[in-house]
Amino acid sequence: MNEVSTRRITHCGDLSPGDVVEARYNGLMYYQGKVTETVPVLDMFWILDSRTGTRKLLDPLAFEVVRVPEKP
């Protein structure tokens, strides 16, 4: 992966539905999945967590959020 694709996401405006992201805290991955919706007024976004199949509302300032390549 190159530097642009692994750059930390700090604003939901940097994301689009369909982007695949990981949300980490203290180096541990908590969530991974596709962005389903962004909520610019709250600067938060929804993902569909690939491990649990549930939707999660994430704050890009509460987690280290990075884009990851989509698995085939």
Side-chain angles (χ1 to χ4, degrees):
M1 288 194 295
N2 63 34
E3 185 178 326
V4 172
S5 66
T6 59
R7 166 176 71 89
R8 182 176 178 175
I9 305 297
T10 57
H11 302 285
C12 78
D14 294 338
L15 295 170
S16 299
D19 288 344
V20 179
V21 297
E22 284 185 357
R24 304 172 185 154
Y25 185 75
N26 285 338
L28 298 175
M29 185 181 67
Y30 277 72
Y31 306 108
Q32 180 181 35
K34 278 189 181 181
V35 174
T36 59
E37 182 180 353
T38 61
V39 187
V41 70
L42 299 175
D43 199 27
M44 298 173 87
F45 61 96
W46 288 95
I47 68 164
L48 183 60
D49 186 52
S50 61
R51 294 184 300 167
T52 64
T54 59
R55 288 183 73 200
K56 301 290 181 185
L57 180 63
L58 299 178
D59 179 347
L61 297 178
F63 291 94
E64 178 187 357
V65 178
V66 295
R67 226 180 241 105
V68 295
E70 188 172 354
K71 294 179 183 175

